[in-house]
Amino acid sequence: MLDQPLLQVRGLKKTFPIDGGRRLVAVDGVDLEIKAGETLALVGESGSGKSTVARCIVRLVEPTGGDVVIGGDSILGLQPSRLVGVYRRIQMVFQDPNASLNPRMSVRQVLEEPLHLHLYLLRSERDARVRELIEMVGLTPAHLDRYPHELSGGQRQRVGIARAIAVSPEIVILDEPTSSLDVSIRGQILDLLLELQERLHLAYLFITHDLQVVQHVAHRVAVMYLGGIVETGPTKELFADPRHPYTRALLSAAPVARWGVKRTRTRLSGEISSAIDPPDACRLAGRCPFARPSCSDARPPLTDIGGGRAVACPVVIERIPT
Ligand SMILES: Nc1ncnc2c1ncn2[C@@H]1O[C@H](COP(=O)(O)OP(=O)(O)O)[C@@H](O)[C@H]1O
Ligand code: SF4
Ligand SMILES: [Mg+2]
């Protein structure tokens, strides 16, 4: 089917048991969809559960519930031995490139490793692929014999990206790929990611808390707050007319392009609430200027409001003219 999403995340949950029999609910029923060649940005403040979503999708941590479907195949039920096939289709780039680069391996070895694991290539084919990869990320064959500590942060992230695309995946999860880099390098890495996406028709799940980056790279956005998606929609429409009180507060506080639309300031009071044994209520209820008593009755579902947009707040949905 032409319009079938490449990646579907359905009702994803991850709970971490902590001391005293309590539970930290890091991800609480997340639904996401990404089509081939598309970038979905996952945004939200630190601790909202973005990295845990990413790690559950690639099974670096085992989800507590829900499902992840790639190209129609559910991957959460697979035995670990069958995950190798999954990793040909989906790869991850980490915030800290050192996390994916073994300091004792040369760049050549770092790039050869996934080729050994996934593809049966002749020595000459493998050498050619490694040279192709290093050039695709803007480095030269001379970098292949260096070790990670002999590279700059930006060069290390380029190697991390080359490793992720080595086996030609369809989806790459990018977890804050530019946050650890100097500001002057960030733009170059973003441009590289955009160029590779176009050339290889990659789908990206782009995790970031930088809304300017979102405006630059994402077709669609999902806004996460304390384990749940509170709003999702096409980037331009969502930035021009944010609906959920949390999205409004996030954009009110950020230096983002206004894209010519009215913006009333929304401020939240108090601190982010705890993810430990949370009540079945809207997670924003203690901080939201629009809260009503009914907001503490149950967690509002993400509800379709048309135009490819969805919002998890019945109070603002009631006010949207039909
Ligand atoms: N291995 C773990 N054990 C216990 N708590 C964890 C673990 N990993 C993440 N968490 C908690 O889950 C929540 C979400 O974390 P994370 O997914 O890293 O958020 P984000 O990437 O949005 O900053 C946080 O409260 C964090 O402390
Ligand atoms: S459901 Fe209530 S508390 Fe939650 S965002 Fe909407 S108005 Fe605010
Ligand atoms: Mg994170």
Side-chain angles (χ1 to χ4, degrees):
M1 242 185 294
L2 207 61
D3 243 13
Q4 165 111 349
L6 187 56
L7 172 70
Q8 286 174 289
V9 175
R10 298 180 187 145
L12 189 72
K13 291 194 181 198
K14 179 63 191 176
T15 299
F16 293 105
I18 51 169
D19 54 324
R22 296 178 306 159
R23 299 172 319 141
L24 188 148
V25 183
V27 177
D28 194 8
V30 160
D31 296 314
L32 298 171
E33 284 190 0
I34 308 181
K35 296 199 180 99
E38 182 184 49
T39 298
L40 174 70
L42 183 59
V43 304
E45 61 204 289
S46 181
S48 54
K50 306 180 297 297
S51 294
T52 306
V53 167
R55 286 166 179 274
C56 285
I57 292 173
V58 296
R59 283 184 62 183
L60 281 174
V61 298
E62 279 302 312
T64 314
D67 202 0
V68 174
V69 179
I70 296 181
D73 299 326
S74 166
I75 63 165
L76 289 195
L78 291 180
Q79 293 300 316
S81 59
R82 305 256 332 264
L83 283 173
V84 173
V86 171
Y87 294 141
R88 272 208 68 176
R89 309 190 70 177
I90 187 161
Q91 285 282 324
M92 188 152 163
V93 172
F94 297 87
Q95 172 174 355
D96 175 6
N98 294 322
S100 56
L101 304 184
N102 183 333
R104 285 182 295 279
M105 282 165 95
S106 68
V107 171
R108 183 188 307 280
Q109 290 169 317
V110 164
L111 298 183
E112 279 181 348
E113 194 177 49
L115 301 177
H116 276 304
L117 262 175
H118 296 279
L119 305 175
Y120 301 99
L121 299 178
L122 298 172
R123 175 87 235 171
S124 58
E125 291 170 329
R126 207 166 54 231
D127 287 348
R129 179 65 177 155
V130 163
R131 273 198 307 280
E132 181 185 38
L133 286 167
I134 204 76
E135 281 168 0
M136 276 166 94
V137 297
L139 298 175
T140 66
H143 290 103
L144 290 172
D145 296 315
R146 305 222 184 128
Y147 283 79
H149 73 271
E150 297 174 304
L151 302 174
S152 68
Q155 289 171 337
R156 276 201 290 272
Q157 195 56 299
R158 285 175 191 268
V159 174
I161 293 166
R163 182 181 161 95
I165 61 169
V167 293
S168 307
E170 296 153 89
I171 310 163
V172 180
I173 299 182
L174 303 147
D175 191 356
E176 309 258 12
T178 57
S179 309
S180 68
L181 303 176
D182 288 347
V183 177
S184 58
I185 308 293
R186 287 182 192 172
Q188 295 170 15
I189 298 293
L190 289 178
D191 287 346
L192 171 66
L193 289 169
L194 289 174
E195 185 195 313
L196 290 173
Q197 177 170 48
E198 190 164 325
R199 185 165 166 190
L200 306 172
H201 199 55
L202 293 167
Y204 288 152
L205 175 60
F206 200 117
I207 296 174
T208 179
H209 60 264
D210 185 335
L211 298 175
Q212 285 177 311
V213 169
V214 175
Q215 281 185 309
H216 191 52
V217 302
H219 301 104
R220 291 190 301 117
V221 187
V223 181
M224 200 163 174
Y225 182 76
L226 264 184
I229 305 294
V230 294
E231 180 160 6
T232 179
T235 307
K236 195 155 189 178
E237 284 79 357
L238 188 141
F239 272 69
D241 183 18
R243 299 289 174 87
H244 193 280
Y246 178 68
T247 317
R248 292 192 203 186
L250 201 65
L251 293 180
S252 294
V256 287
R258 300 275 137 170
W259 283 342
V261 179
K262 60 179 168 46
R263 180 82 52 76
T264 37
R265 285 192 79 80
T266 302
R267 282 208 183 83
L268 303 176
S269 55
E271 293 297 308
I272 189 165
S273 26
S274 167
I276 299 170
D277 291 335
D280 187 19
C282 176
R283 298 284 158 80
L284 202 65
R287 306 175 73 192
C288 178
F290 308 102
R292 297 174 179 177
S294 60
C295 299
S296 299
D297 291 348
R299 222 174 112 218
L302 196 58
T303 305
D304 200 332
I305 58 165
R309 302 188 59 177
V311 182
C313 173
V315 175
V316 300
I317 290 171
E318 269 171 36
R319 295 186 192 167
I320 296 171
T322 48

